[in-house]
Amino acid sequence: MSTAPNGIELLDSEALGKVGNLELLSTNVVDGVLSGLHRSTLKGGCFEFAEHRAYSAGDEIRLIDWRVYAKSDRYYIKQFEEETNLQAVMVVDASGSMQYGHSTVSKLDYARMACACLSRLMLRQRDAVGIALIDQKMRQYIPPRAHAHHLQAILDALRRNEAGGMTSLAGNLQEVARRIKRRGLIVIFSDCFGELEPLKKAIHHLRLRGHEVLIFHVLAPEERTFPFDRFSQFECFEEDGLRIDLDPPSVRKAYLERMRVYLEDLQESCARLACDYVPLSTADNLGDTLAYYLNRRAARIKK
């Protein structure tokens, strides 16, 4: 089952049909012995034991080290080098502002569908995919795994988490960086609302550690165009009880100018930090948008 509580189908069949034969490749040489589609910094093809780690949702029971369990009464997984070759972590912003959806699905639902689609794509490439659901703190973290049925754990996490709470994207990215031991791919789905300077520093920190960063910037069409024309009450989804009464035509010009400056700053910063920036509108066809990006990315990598 891949349906969210509100009835949204996370694995959109139309989107999957448009990206099913495409690839999401890393532009970096990755660490480890890779059995997928990417180059490795190591030679050979051995599958050596690396370390133990605590059991978490989505792990295969056959990988539990029962000798360790007998000694500690806790479940630990044997982790092998080949499991951690290309690690991709999908960071999904589930803060209150992602609840917004006026004329379309909510930003969170759109982000969930995009995340589910790309996770399935990467798992079919035999890449290791994990997920971090965040608001002001990290709500849930599932480490990257490369086996196909790990997709179910990712879908379960996406289904269970609804939008709510304050945003701390930068702080959570630093937490993700602490949890990933090898350089990999960090894919962010967020409206990126908040102070941009901390976000820039967090992306810079990830890049310094060798991670590749992709930002799928999810916005509703109303947030880009501000089409409202009647005196209205606007409610903040991240601060309870915060409401503002205003006349939209009187603030439209100032709002659109601030939005323009904000978008230019974010895009220019991503370009400067060699971070892919992909604008997503909840009004656009998800399959078309993802297919267009993946084709352009593949063409750029293969040059």
Side-chain angles (χ1 to χ4, degrees), residues 10-290:
L10 296 181
L11 285 175
D12 182 77
S13 58
E14 182 183 357
L16 290 175
K18 292 179 179 179
V19 305
N21 296 321
L22 301 176
E23 300 168 346
L24 177 55
L25 302 179
S26 172
T27 60
N28 294 336
V29 177
V30 301
D31 293 335
V33 181
L34 195 68
S35 58
L37 302 173
H38 313 265
R39 292 177 296 159
S40 169
T41 57
L42 301 181
K43 303 294 184 181
C46 59
F47 301 94
E48 297 181 354
F49 171 75
E51 60 185 4
H52 286 98
R53 57 167 175 74
Y55 176 87
S56 61
D59 287 326
E60 295 187 68
I61 295 177
R62 66 182 179 84
L63 296 178
I64 293 176
D65 192 323
W66 296 105
R67 292 183 179 180
V68 173
Y69 172 76
K71 295 178 181 178
S72 65
D73 199 33
R74 299 183 66 181
Y75 295 110
Y76 286 91
I77 293 293
K78 290 181 179 179
Q79 191 169 18
F80 297 88
E81 291 292 345
E82 62 89 14
E83 289 184 307
T84 54
N85 295 324
L86 175 64
Q87 297 189 356
V89 176
M90 305 289 178
V91 181
V92 180
D93 181 356
S95 62
S97 64
M98 295 292 286
Q99 180 181 337
Y100 183 78
H102 181 68
S103 61
T104 65
V105 298
S106 73
K107 291 184 287 184
L108 178 58
D109 282 337
Y110 200 86
R112 287 195 279 204
M113 290 187 290
C115 175
C117 188
L118 292 179
S119 296
R120 181 178 182 272
L121 180 68
M122 296 193 71
L123 286 168
R124 291 187 67 182
Q125 295 174 184
R126 293 178 293 168
D127 291 330
V129 182
I131 190 171
L133 276 297
I134 66 169
D135 47 44
Q136 195 167 15
K137 61 182 180 180
M138 189 175 294
R139 291 189 194 173
Q140 185 174 4
Y141 178 76
I142 299 178
R145 303 285 179 267
H147 44 82
H149 70 259
H150 185 58
L151 178 63
Q152 192 58 53
I154 293 173
L155 295 178
D156 287 344
L158 289 171
R159 278 196 299 269
R160 285 195 298 266
N161 285 271
E162 296 297 330
M166 303 285 286
T167 303
S168 180
L169 181 56
N172 280 293
L173 289 179
Q174 293 174 351
E175 176 62 24
V176 169
R178 285 191 287 270
R179 296 185 183 225
I180 303 179
K181 296 181 180 180
R182 290 173 169 83
R183 57 183 176 173
L185 184 64
I186 312 297
V187 185
I188 303 164
F189 303 87
S190 174
D191 56 19
C192 298
F193 286 160
E195 296 294 328
L196 286 185
E197 287 307 315
L199 177 58
K200 295 175 191 177
K201 291 179 181 178
I203 294 173
H204 181 59
H205 176 65
L206 289 170
R207 297 293 293 133
L208 287 177
R209 295 188 58 158
H211 299 299
E212 186 176 1
V213 182
L214 279 64
I215 292 184
F216 286 93
H217 190 199
V218 186
L219 291 177
E222 294 84 4
E223 292 171 328
R224 291 182 179 271
T225 62
F226 203 70
F228 311 104
D229 56 11
R230 292 186 297 178
F231 192 88
S232 306
Q233 184 178 82
F234 290 80
E235 178 182 358
C236 177
F237 286 139
E238 297 196 5
E239 294 187 40
D240 290 339
L242 179 58
R243 295 178 175 82
I244 301 175
D245 295 315
L246 57 79
D247 180 35
S250 68
V251 301
R252 179 175 293 110
K253 184 177 179 180
Y255 172 89
L256 292 176
E257 176 61 18
R258 292 189 65 176
M259 177 62 78
R260 182 190 66 80
V261 171
Y262 152 75
L263 291 174
E264 286 183 358
D265 189 3
L266 179 58
Q267 292 177 60
E268 289 172 1
S269 298
C270 287
R272 187 169 59 253
L273 293 168
C275 161
D276 270 14
Y277 173 85
V278 187
L280 296 181
S281 170
T282 58
D284 291 342
N285 182 279
L286 178 61
D288 289 341
T289 301
L290 292 181

